[in-house]
Amino acid sequence: MSNEIEIGRGKRGRRAYSFDDVAVVPSRRTRDPEEVSVGWQIDAYHVELPILAAPMDSVMSPETAVRFGQLGGIGVLDLEGVWTRYEDPTAHLAEIAGLPSDAATARMQEIYSAPIIPELVTARLKQVREAGVTVAGALSPQRTQQLWKHVVDAGVDLFVIRGTTVSAEHVSGRAEPLNLKRFIYELDVPVIVGGASTYTAALHLMRTGAAGVLVGFGGGAAHTTRVSLGIHAPMATAVADVAAARRDYLDESGGRYVHVIADGGVGRSGDMVKAVACGADAVMLGSALARAAEAPGRGWHWGPEAHHPQLPRGERVQVGTAGTLEEILFGPGRQADGTLNLIGALRRAMATTGYSDLKEFQRVEVVVSPYQPF
């Protein structure tokens, strides 16, 4: 049965669903939440929590990346942010948090116009390495060829190539594009790449040798991609489509498993539950962790799209402070809005539906059930 609908006589569109449009269904079995495993394995690294912290200056500093790693997740540093443009960006972060709304974008463009200092890329990653946690840093495809050696020299464990959208076939008549397949093959470090939001785009990224694919296209709390570019990828459908690409690539490659990481639209614990239910192995969180007391954004959240020099496709948004990083991950929760105790909520959802680990939970039944609780 086709899920295409007629938009007009000359155009048909496929129906797609966001996390708010779907719900998980209990099964015949339940479990004890304490007996549920939420760990996962990517390449040689076993990770206690299925969460990567998004490489955004409002979410991760070297210090918060260390703390997040100590709590069991993976903190990803934005290697094109203020931490690699300024020796001490504290004053700039304080200024961004205090800017009036009508001046925020223009001033952020000025702050982020300072050049990236390659030595700071190495220094920030070494700071995380010295703390003994998994080291992960992110570059855009445009900066990867320029800065990758500094990232590898710092001893990075996971290399993230992240953009609004990343394809395995970028066409440019002005400059030689990054050849992902050759780059990943020659790099002796696991690479996570994205975003991708379709079956075909994800399958091509998997064929480059990527260890993981980020799923999403400008769907985060601080993005305005839908209103500025007219492009939007509802996340429940996007994750399910990319999970299908993972299944087919597993057969095609003779058993090579590529991890699917939902990146966007995961603002609360229920979104994380539904991301895994749709096929994600892990999630990348931005706004959910920007609410931490330790977050550099001081209750504000923004991504690199918010200060693009020519076409901003995001904005600085106020998310407030919900609790410490530990409380956001493990509770105790003090309100019933899905902002605290994310891991406790995931455990309880898995236990309530009878599943003991994340890969099993990907098989849980879901229904289409549009619902707007907030």
Side-chain angles (χ1 to χ4, degrees):
M1 180 178 176
S2 173
N3 65 347
E4 283 195 348
I5 60 173
E6 185 178 284
I7 296 167
R9 292 192 177 187
K11 180 69 72 173
R12 297 181 67 83
R14 180 174 173 233
R15 188 182 297 275
Y17 301 98
S18 70
F19 290 138
D20 282 337
D21 295 324
V22 300
V24 173
V25 178
S27 66
R28 63 181 178 83
R29 180 185 293 116
T30 57
R31 294 183 183 274
D32 187 328
E34 297 306 315
E35 296 176 3
V36 166
S37 170
V38 296
W40 65 303
Q41 180 95 13
I42 180 164
D43 203 75
Y45 303 99
H46 177 77
V47 190
E48 295 296 327
L49 308 180
I51 300 175
L52 289 82
M56 296 176 167
D57 283 339
S58 59
V59 179
M60 284 286 108
S61 66
E63 291 79 12
T64 50
V66 169
R67 179 60 180 148
F68 192 68
Q70 291 169 341
L71 290 169
I74 298 176
V76 185
L77 285 179
D78 179 5
L79 301 178
E80 301 174 36
V82 292
W83 296 97
T84 59
R85 297 174 193 262
Y86 301 96
E87 285 281 354
D88 183 2
T90 308
H92 294 92
L93 290 165
E95 181 185 358
I96 291 171
L99 288 170
S101 297
D102 58 354
T105 299
R107 178 56 184 145
M108 288 169 69
Q109 287 174 317
E110 293 174 353
I111 290 171
Y112 283 91
S113 67
I116 295 171
I117 303 170
E119 292 75 19
L120 283 179
V121 172
T122 304
R124 302 308 187 195
L125 291 171
K126 283 186 174 179
Q127 183 178 343
V128 179
R129 172 158 293 286
E130 289 168 358
V133 299
T134 302
V135 185
L139 291 172
S140 65
Q142 295 81 5
R143 299 272 191 179
T144 295
Q145 297 195 95
Q146 173 192 351
L147 296 169
W148 70 268
K149 194 172 187 309
H150 297 276
V151 177
V152 175
D153 287 348
V156 73
D157 296 315
L158 294 172
F159 195 131
V160 179
I161 301 176
R162 184 178 187 260
T164 305
T165 186
V166 177
S167 71
E169 186 180 347
H170 179 68
V171 179
S172 174
R174 296 183 295 114
E176 183 182 355
L178 175 67
N179 185 321
L180 269 176
K181 189 169 187 176
R182 184 176 65 198
F183 177 80
I184 292 174
Y185 177 78
E186 294 175 354
L187 195 70
D188 192 25
V189 173
V191 177
I192 298 171
V193 62
S197 57
T198 67
Y199 172 95
T200 302
L203 186 60
H204 280 275
L205 288 177
M206 292 172 186
R207 288 169 176 163
T208 67
V213 171
L214 299 171
V215 183
F217 187 103
H223 288 73
T224 60
T225 310
R226 183 166 186 164
V227 296
S228 59
L229 297 185
I231 301 175
H232 176 58
M235 282 296 290
T237 296
V239 170
D241 282 350
V242 176
R246 175 188 60 202
R247 176 200 63 210
D248 292 348
Y249 179 70
L250 188 71
D251 292 337
E252 174 188 306
S253 64
R256 185 171 181 273
Y257 189 92
V258 179
H259 292 83
V260 173
I261 301 163
D263 179 14
V266 189
R268 299 174 188 270
S269 56
D271 300 323
M272 181 171 66
V273 169
K274 288 185 272 190
V276 178
C278 287
D281 298 289
V283 297
M284 177 170 274
L285 299 184
S287 62
L289 301 179
R291 299 186 185 105
E294 303 95 321
R298 307 181 185 202
W300 293 87
H301 179 49
W302 66 92
E305 299 82 6
H307 49 76
H308 190 280
Q310 283 86 37
L311 183 62
R313 302 179 304 281
E315 57 190 352
R316 184 201 61 165
V317 296
Q318 189 165 21
V319 295
T321 300
T324 65
L325 267 178
E326 186 168 4
E327 289 171 332
I328 286 173
L329 292 174
F330 304 113
R334 293 184 294 274
Q335 54 270 339
D337 62 357
T339 59
L340 296 175
N341 201 0
L342 304 182
I343 297 301
L346 177 60
R347 285 183 178 278
R348 187 161 295 275
M350 293 169 65
T352 300
T353 53
Y355 293 89
S356 61
D357 61 46
L358 296 174
K359 280 192 168 59
E360 278 193 1
F361 189 57
Q362 291 170 350
R363 300 197 298 266
V364 70
E365 182 182 351
V366 298
V367 293
V368 176
S369 175
Y371 179 53
Q372 299 292 337
F374 299 105

